Amino acid sequence: MSETVRYERRGDIAVITVDNPPVNALSSSVRQGLADSLAQALGDGAVKAMVLIGAGRTYIAGADIREFGKPFTGPGLQQIIADFERSSKPVVVAIHGTALGGGLEVALGCHYRVALPSAQLGLPEVKLGILPGAGGTQRMPRVIGIKAALDMITSGDPIPAAKAKEIGLVDAIIEGDLLEGAIKFAETVAIPGGTTGRRVSERSDKLGGADTAYFAEARKSVAAKARGQIAPVKIVDALEAAATLPFTDGMKKEREIATELMAGTQSKALRHVFFAEREAAKIPDVPADTPTRPVKSVAIIGAGTMGGGIAMNFANIGIPVTLIDSTEEFLERGLKRIKDNYAVTVSRGRLSQPDMDKRVGLIKGALDIDRIKDADLVIEAVFEEMALKKDIFGKIDQFAKPGAVLATNTSGLNINEIAAVTKRPQDVIGLHFFSPANVMRLMEVVRADKTGKDIIATSMQLGKTIRKVPVLARVYEGFIGNAMLRHYGREAHFLLEEGALPQQVDKALTDFGYAMGMFGVHDVAGNDVGYRMRKAAQATRPNDRRYSDIITKLCDMGRLGQKTGKGWYRYEPGSRTPIPDPEVEALIIQESKLKGIERRVITDEEIVKRCVYGPINEGANLLEKGIALRPSDIDTVYVTGYGFPSWRGGPMFYADTVGLANVLADIKRFHEKDGFFWKPAPLLEQLVKEGKTFADYQAAR
Ligand code: CAA
């Protein structure tokens, strides 16, 4: 028998247990084990029905993604599922944890599905740039209908067991012991004809209600949301095949599309993103067994947008937070903002009122900094100014209890300097959240020179606990993300002076796949972010490089962004739709004149290259300086924190797909023109010389 699948008899029920930690992925040995177990149960006259279950933390969470793109071994999943479905003895699938991808497809091929209330069921393949290729696109609509299947498969989002029961995907919810419940259930269906009417491929009763016009409309709306990603649109094709073709022909169509998607760059990029996120958790000199400090209470200093957003992350998982600000007014405003944010989630049906009340109740306001004294973790989230941060850290050092983790949410200041004002620099770390902090998944964990390994381990673990993606960085101006962003922002602004307009730059970037263009982002964040610093720096600027002052002038005109109804664009009252504004165009043209730049036609290709290659070049510098541990960490930062299209894999992966020699050639061209900026990163030059990629660089380390 297979080493990853166990077979046993419980009376006249055969129990097949998949035991392939950590997530029971369908590796070749699991597939072999499933095929063998089915044969054994079918050959055993005493067995009347089967239960299929997962050992450990979850039922089967999908195909083994590590096997993708490698030579195929063992029996194919499609065949195994067909064999289970054809079985004359009913098979009951018992689901706990997450039934995902191929795991759920196996369940769809079986005759009954029962689940614990806490189970989640989904077909997340679209997130890997593929589709459920083992019958998911053909069987799911036969069980829950075309429209529900389209939502589930194009979004890739799992649904809870209760919802699955409601739409007919699950036959029964089991309270208490899952295996015992499933065996009892199996006994009730272990009767002659127990599989009659239960073979999903033979059903078509749910397939109605979706005509050609429906699919044409679905294709349009899915494509609009997908912003360049191919798989969601192809999934609509597969579902149309389910609705219009016999099952076997639909399966052929699914296979064709699956093969094409699997071989494409987008799927490779998305698989890279999946593993990159998980790789980021591994730190060579901080092994997985490094002791961590318990974090059962948190204090946050600064009740602004950032502090409030950070507080919500902890309240969401039941950790009490003391939110501290210097005046009653700031504090009240901060607490109200938190309530309003939760209320929006409640109004959208994504949170219940009692849950909101519980979370709001966990966040208590305070005016005195000494209230940090019981907190296991103190996070400073005040204005981005070194003198202020140092002052606050002096106080934190005075009041925080021994052993507390002391974190700053600075977005780029020197944390060594901040740590130096305390008597315990080993306890100081950067936890850089991204705005809105209750939504954005990225959390840069910044180790300063003296940060203790236990503090790093605690922070990385904590990031995962609050459902963020923690990525380790070292101290550097702007750490990883904002250091690279400087190069992106600079070029976007220069492009305006040279002939582009905000709407053209933004469109080129959103066509590339960015969630938003640079100027749209500015208008959301507020153009006055950094205004004081920019204004102060004007007097002392070195004259060996170029600057753009348009954003400062925009602020002087009161165009602060969406909050003032106008920024790089104008906005109708109550609307967030950016409308190009002649006043901004006039300002930009005036600025070109002032600088003696003759405006020219700028192509979208140039916009993308200048906005994306700058960060790539800086990314190579960050690797060489050891600020980022690996290229895939940089990709994770950019995909989870900066809206970089995940289906392009992140900037470093994207550079590999373009070819590093091509990227370098353009960087050199830009450098020749500019003189100061765009100095090619030595690591990039070296990799090109050796004919290597960033992936090679990472693999060799
Ligand atoms: N294949 C291979 N490895 C997998 C995997 C999979 N499907 N799912 C998770 N892993 C690995 C992770 O890489 C990680 O490995 P390391 O510890 O070495 O880094 C380990 O399992 C634990 O994973 P997480 O850290 O993500 O654990 P979690 O508890 O936070 O989440 C999970 C568990 C929800 C299952 C999450 O891992 C997940 O979403 N996995 C992907 C599920 C998926 O996409 N399934 C569809 C696969 S495609 C498919 O099935 C195609 C088809 O049609 C046949």
Side-chain angles (χ1 to χ4, degrees), residues 372-393:
I372 67 172
K373 64 182 186 317
D374 298 320
D376 297 321
L377 164 67
V378 181
I379 304 177
E380 162 278 304
V382 301
F383 196 70
E384 190 73 353
E385 212 167 67
M386 183 54 101
L388 178 62
K389 303 237 180 217
K390 281 185 173 169
D391 179 53
I392 298 279
F393 263 82

Tab-separated table of all heavy atoms in Angstrom, residues 372-393:
chain	number	residue	atom	x	y	z
A	372	ILE	N	1.441	51.854	27.919
A	372	ILE	CA	2.054	50.756	27.150
A	372	ILE	C	2.621	49.687	28.085
A	372	ILE	O	3.062	48.637	27.637
A	372	ILE	CB	3.195	51.257	26.223
A	372	ILE	CG1	4.392	51.770	27.050
A	372	ILE	CG2	2.705	52.310	25.258
A	372	ILE	CD1	5.618	52.109	26.214
A	373	LYS	N	2.601	49.959	29.382
A	373	LYS	CA	3.434	49.171	30.309
A	373	LYS	C	3.098	47.676	30.370
A	373	LYS	O	3.955	46.874	30.711
A	373	LYS	CB	3.419	49.791	31.713
A	373	LYS	CG	2.078	49.809	32.392
A	373	LYS	CD	2.220	50.499	33.739
A	373	LYS	CE	0.972	50.448	34.580
A	373	LYS	NZ	-0.287	50.695	33.937
A	374	ASP	N	1.855	47.276	30.039
A	374	ASP	CA	1.525	45.850	30.102
A	374	ASP	C	1.629	45.151	28.744
A	374	ASP	O	1.398	43.950	28.646
A	374	ASP	CB	0.089	45.672	30.632
A	374	ASP	CG	-0.039	46.228	32.034
A	374	ASP	OD1	0.902	46.043	32.830
A	374	ASP	OD2	-1.065	46.884	32.321
A	375	ALA	N	1.913	45.922	27.697
A	375	ALA	CA	1.837	45.342	26.348
A	375	ALA	C	3.042	44.451	26.034
A	375	ALA	O	4.174	44.767	26.390
A	375	ALA	CB	1.744	46.458	25.321
A	376	ASP	N	2.771	43.329	25.351
A	376	ASP	CA	3.859	42.453	24.891
A	376	ASP	C	4.522	43.021	23.641
A	376	ASP	O	5.665	42.716	23.336
A	376	ASP	CB	3.296	41.067	24.539
A	376	ASP	CG	2.706	40.372	25.751
A	376	ASP	OD1	3.286	40.494	26.842
A	376	ASP	OD2	1.652	39.711	25.598
A	377	LEU	N	3.744	43.811	22.906
A	377	LEU	CA	4.268	44.418	21.676
A	377	LEU	C	3.822	45.876	21.656
A	377	LEU	O	2.642	46.175	21.856
A	377	LEU	CB	3.693	43.686	20.446
A	377	LEU	CG	3.798	44.385	19.087
A	377	LEU	CD1	5.260	44.488	18.635
A	377	LEU	CD2	3.007	43.613	18.011
A	378	VAL	N	4.790	46.771	21.447
A	378	VAL	CA	4.474	48.197	21.329
A	378	VAL	C	4.813	48.616	19.908
A	378	VAL	O	5.924	48.357	19.425
A	378	VAL	CB	5.316	49.039	22.323
A	378	VAL	CG1	4.956	50.520	22.201
A	378	VAL	CG2	5.123	48.549	23.757
A	379	ILE	N	3.849	49.228	19.226
A	379	ILE	CA	4.125	49.692	17.854
A	379	ILE	C	3.979	51.200	17.811
A	379	ILE	O	2.925	51.747	18.152
A	379	ILE	CB	3.157	49.064	16.824
A	379	ILE	CG1	3.209	47.537	16.897
A	379	ILE	CG2	3.493	49.539	15.408
A	379	ILE	CD1	2.224	46.841	15.967
A	380	GLU	N	5.050	51.854	17.398
A	380	GLU	CA	5.002	53.308	17.233
A	380	GLU	C	4.521	53.593	15.806
A	380	GLU	O	5.075	53.068	14.839
A	380	GLU	CB	6.407	53.862	17.507
A	380	GLU	CG	6.683	55.253	17.006
A	380	GLU	CD	7.049	55.272	15.531
A	380	GLU	OE1	8.009	54.585	15.126
A	380	GLU	OE2	6.352	55.991	14.805
A	381	ALA	N	3.446	54.382	15.690
A	381	ALA	CA	2.901	54.714	14.360
A	381	ALA	C	2.608	56.209	14.304
A	381	ALA	O	1.496	56.627	14.005
A	381	ALA	CB	1.640	53.894	14.096
A	382	VAL	N	3.620	57.006	14.638
A	382	VAL	CA	3.425	58.461	14.636
A	382	VAL	C	3.952	59.045	13.324
A	382	VAL	O	4.431	58.314	12.448
A	382	VAL	CB	4.132	59.144	15.848
A	382	VAL	CG1	3.597	58.585	17.156
A	382	VAL	CG2	5.648	58.993	15.775
A	383	PHE	N	3.887	60.350	13.219
A	383	PHE	CA	4.318	61.061	12.020
A	383	PHE	C	5.752	60.674	11.629
A	383	PHE	O	6.588	60.441	12.495
A	383	PHE	CB	4.203	62.565	12.304
A	383	PHE	CG	4.245	63.386	11.073
A	383	PHE	CD1	3.183	63.373	10.179
A	383	PHE	CD2	5.363	64.149	10.781
A	383	PHE	CE1	3.237	64.121	9.010
A	383	PHE	CE2	5.421	64.904	9.611
A	383	PHE	CZ	4.352	64.885	8.723
A	384	GLU	N	6.003	60.634	10.318
A	384	GLU	CA	7.295	60.156	9.813
A	384	GLU	C	8.381	61.237	9.960
A	384	GLU	O	8.726	61.924	8.992
A	384	GLU	CB	7.107	59.732	8.346
A	384	GLU	CG	8.260	58.984	7.720
A	384	GLU	CD	8.409	57.555	8.200
A	384	GLU	OE1	7.717	57.118	9.131
A	384	GLU	OE2	9.282	56.868	7.649
A	385	GLU	N	8.879	61.383	11.187
A	385	GLU	CA	9.908	62.402	11.436
A	385	GLU	C	10.867	61.836	12.469
A	385	GLU	O	10.446	61.427	13.553
A	385	GLU	CB	9.214	63.659	11.977
A	385	GLU	CG	9.886	64.945	11.577
A	385	GLU	CD	8.964	66.128	11.874
A	385	GLU	OE1	8.721	66.379	13.065
A	385	GLU	OE2	8.503	66.760	10.926
A	386	MET	N	12.149	61.829	12.140
A	386	MET	CA	13.125	61.153	12.995
A	386	MET	C	13.116	61.697	14.432
A	386	MET	O	13.110	60.918	15.396
A	386	MET	CB	14.520	61.272	12.370
A	386	MET	CG	15.596	60.564	13.128
A	386	MET	SD	15.219	58.810	13.422
A	386	MET	CE	16.206	58.027	12.167
A	387	ALA	N	13.102	63.033	14.589
A	387	ALA	CA	13.192	63.607	15.942
A	387	ALA	C	12.017	63.133	16.791
A	387	ALA	O	12.189	62.756	17.959
A	387	ALA	CB	13.213	65.127	15.852
A	388	LEU	N	10.857	63.119	16.187
A	388	LEU	CA	9.655	62.698	16.910
A	388	LEU	C	9.742	61.221	17.284
A	388	LEU	O	9.450	60.808	18.406
A	388	LEU	CB	8.426	62.958	16.018
A	388	LEU	CG	7.084	62.545	16.582
A	388	LEU	CD1	6.774	63.327	17.858
A	388	LEU	CD2	5.975	62.803	15.550
A	389	LYS	N	10.200	60.413	16.343
A	389	LYS	CA	10.295	58.969	16.599
A	389	LYS	C	11.290	58.703	17.739
A	389	LYS	O	11.059	57.846	18.592
A	389	LYS	CB	10.738	58.212	15.341
A	389	LYS	CG	9.836	58.439	14.151
A	389	LYS	CD	9.275	57.158	13.592
A	389	LYS	CE	8.380	57.452	12.415
A	389	LYS	NZ	7.211	56.638	12.279
A	390	LYS	N	12.382	59.449	17.713
A	390	LYS	CA	13.392	59.241	18.767
A	390	LYS	C	12.817	59.609	20.127
A	390	LYS	O	13.021	58.906	21.119
A	390	LYS	CB	14.636	60.086	18.476
A	390	LYS	CG	15.534	59.478	17.421
A	390	LYS	CD	16.784	60.331	17.292
A	390	LYS	CE	17.796	59.700	16.383
A	390	LYS	NZ	18.884	60.631	16.065
A	391	ASP	N	12.098	60.709	20.146
A	391	ASP	CA	11.484	61.151	21.393
A	391	ASP	C	10.528	60.064	21.915
A	391	ASP	O	10.576	59.679	23.091
A	391	ASP	CB	10.731	62.465	21.125
A	391	ASP	CG	10.046	62.964	22.369
A	391	ASP	OD1	10.742	63.095	23.390
A	391	ASP	OD2	8.819	63.190	22.335
A	392	ILE	N	9.709	59.547	21.020
A	392	ILE	CA	8.736	58.513	21.411
A	392	ILE	C	9.475	57.262	21.901
A	392	ILE	O	9.097	56.651	22.911
A	392	ILE	CB	7.817	58.151	20.219
A	392	ILE	CG1	6.999	59.354	19.775
A	392	ILE	CG2	6.950	56.936	20.545
A	392	ILE	CD1	5.774	59.658	20.584
A	393	PHE	N	10.542	56.874	21.203
A	393	PHE	CA	11.244	55.652	21.614
A	393	PHE	C	11.929	55.814	22.967
A	393	PHE	O	12.066	54.848	23.720
A	393	PHE	CB	12.199	55.144	20.522
A	393	PHE	CG	11.544	54.075	19.705
A	393	PHE	CD1	10.680	54.414	18.673
A	393	PHE	CD2	11.705	52.729	20.013
A	393	PHE	CE1	10.021	53.432	17.949
A	393	PHE	CE2	11.049	51.746	19.301
A	393	PHE	CZ	10.199	52.097	18.260
